[in-house]
Amino acid sequence: NAGVTQTPKFQVLKTGQSMTLQCAQDMNHEYMSWYRQDPGMGLRLIHYSVGAGITDQGEVPNGYNVSRSTTEDFPLRLLSAAPSQTSVYFCASSYSKADLGQLSNEQFFGPGTRLTVL
Amino acid sequence: SQQGEEDPQALSIQEGENATMNCSYKTSINNLQWYRQNSGRGLVHLILIRSNEREKHSGRLRVTLDTSKKSSSLLITASRAADTASYFCATDMVWRRDDKIIFGKGTRLHILP
């Protein structure tokens, strides 16, 4: 298994540009999520999904869109990049509570995408 | 706002010593997890402790959970240079039906040779 993969590893954007960060997992996990990590702030949840066709907002959703058309893929879209979105972005996946009888579970993380917005 | 808060923010100890870091949280939880992040890498799961458990061991790791104080501690015994990393706690709030978990800001651990 490849686990959780993210592309690209690095990206530089100009203010106002749009782009999509890709995330894919091959573990048949229902739950997927996106975090951003900034110095001194830890990880903050952007959006998450409990299954195909279902997404919800996390702590810091503004400026980002997500969709979940398949179980495997969970792309994160920046609609109009701003310097405040300069960060390292991590995608994670796990089995869902529904699969584990309400017992929560280990998150598997991708290697991250380092994004700089000029 | 973040659910978990680790303490201390940074810790430096000599190789071979034990390292203890703490996590406090605000609302009742189903379980608490600890993760490690090496510099420039993604997070790796270390251990999960459920709300009805008080202590759990995994190799050199010992985790305790005190639900009355809403706190957990992670002890790494006989530290090694390879333990240098950031450590995060993550909580799953009991009132949520979904799988959302929230991470704290982390403790940066540095093992001195």
Side-chain angles (χ1 to χ4, degrees), chain A residues 31 35 37 40-43 45 48 50 57-59 90 95-97 103-107 109-111, chain B residues 1-2 30-31 33 35 37 41-43 45 48 50 88 92 96-105:
Chain A
Y31 182 73
Y35 294 88
Q37 186 175 32
M41 297 297 293
L43 276 81
L45 183 64
Y48 64 101
V50 298
Q57 295 182 347
E59 302 169 275
F90 289 100
Y95 290 109
S96 72
K97 281 187 181 180
L103 299 178
S104 201
N105 50 70
E106 172 185 354
Q107 303 285 307
F109 279 81
Chain B
S1 62
Q2 289 175 285
N30 283 323
N31 63 69
Q33 304 180 49
Y35 288 79
Q37 184 183 33
R41 311 289 289 273
L43 278 73
H45 182 263
L48 179 152
R50 306 198 192 287
F88 296 86
D92 162 31
R96 296 196 67 90
R97 295 183 181 179
D98 60 24
D99 302 89
K100 179 177 173 180
I101 66 171
I102 300 294
F103 285 81
K105 295 181 181 180

Side-chain angles (χ1 to χ4, degrees), chain A residues 5-26:
Chain A
T5 57
Q6 290 182 239
T7 56
K9 284 188 168 53
F10 301 94
Q11 183 70 50
V12 178
L13 292 177
K14 293 181 180 177
T15 296
Q17 287 185 315
S18 62
M19 79 157 295
T20 299
L21 307 185
Q22 301 291 345
C23 174
Q25 52 90 11
D26 61 358

Side-chain angles (χ1 to χ4, degrees), chain A:
Chain A
N1 287 350
V4 179
T5 57
Q6 290 182 239
T7 56
K9 284 188 168 53
F10 301 94
Q11 183 70 50
V12 178
L13 292 177
K14 293 181 180 177
T15 296
Q17 287 185 315
S18 62
M19 79 157 295
T20 299
L21 307 185
Q22 301 291 345
C23 174
Q25 52 90 11
D26 61 358
M27 296 173 281
N28 203 30
H29 286 164
E30 290 293 330
Y31 182 73
M32 296 185 74
S33 55
W34 276 102
Y35 294 88
R36 60 177 288 172
Q37 186 175 32
D38 303 293
M41 297 297 293
L43 276 81
R44 292 183 290 172
L45 183 64
I46 305 171
H47 286 285
Y48 64 101
S49 168
V50 298
I54 306 169
T55 63
D56 207 346
Q57 295 182 347
E59 302 169 275
V60 288
N62 292 341
Y64 307 94
N65 275 359
V66 292
S67 59
R68 186 92 181 273
S69 55
T70 67
T71 299
E72 294 79 18
D73 301 296
F74 191 43
L76 178 72
R77 296 185 188 84
L78 280 71
L79 307 172
S80 178
S84 61
Q85 294 178 304
T86 293
S87 187
V88 181
Y89 291 84
F90 289 100
C91 178
S93 73
S94 68
Y95 290 109
S96 72
K97 281 187 181 180
D99 292 338
L100 298 177
Q102 298 302 312
L103 299 178
S104 201
N105 50 70
E106 172 185 354
Q107 303 285 307
F108 292 82
F109 279 81
T113 294
R114 187 172 296 273
L115 176 68
T116 301
V117 183
L118 302 175

